[in-house]
Amino acid sequence: MDLRVVLAGLFIAAGCFFLIVAAIGILRFPDFYTRMHPAGKADTLGQALIIAGLIIYWGINLVSVKLLIIALFLMVANPTAAYALANAAYSSGIKPWKKGEERR
């Protein structure tokens, strides 16, 4: 088996791991604001790792350049969208969860 395929598989597996962890975090965290954390960070890292794995697998060509552009867009858009959603929620009056309260 080629080293490039193994390295691509490791990156894709790590990306899938972070996406699963982000999904579990979204389900387990108690309120909107804490759920935004895995949605904005771990999800972005998982997607970037999967795209990096695909770039390694395909080598340097036009497809890799397009994947790199998509990865850069995701790395800018995901955290910005998470910030905008959290800011809109705070402006609309959604209160942050405090220790001892029930999950919302």
Side-chain angles (χ1 to χ4, degrees):
M1 189 179 301
D2 192 9
L3 178 65
R4 180 177 49 91
V5 175
V6 172
L7 194 60
L10 288 175
F11 270 76
I12 292 171
C16 290
F17 170 75
F18 278 104
L19 288 178
I20 291 170
V21 168
I24 291 170
I26 290 171
L27 292 174
R28 297 279 303 170
F29 282 152
D31 74 335
F32 179 78
Y33 297 105
T34 53
R35 290 180 186 139
M36 292 301 297
H37 183 74
K41 295 187 183 217
D43 195 38
T44 304
L45 179 61
Q47 293 168 354
L49 285 173
I50 288 174
I51 290 174
L54 292 174
I55 289 172
I56 292 169
Y57 181 78
W58 286 106
I60 303 296
N61 57 20
L62 184 60
V63 173
S64 297
V65 173
K66 290 178 183 178
L67 286 171
L68 184 64
I69 292 169
I70 291 170
L72 292 175
F73 175 75
L74 286 173
M75 293 177 97
V76 171
N78 277 358
T80 304
Y83 170 77
L85 283 173
N87 195 20
Y90 188 77
S91 298
S92 67
I94 296 177
K95 300 286 183 205
W97 176 80
K98 292 182 181 173
K99 193 171 184 177
E101 292 180 353
E102 281 194 35
R103 295 175 52 154
R104 293 182 234 162

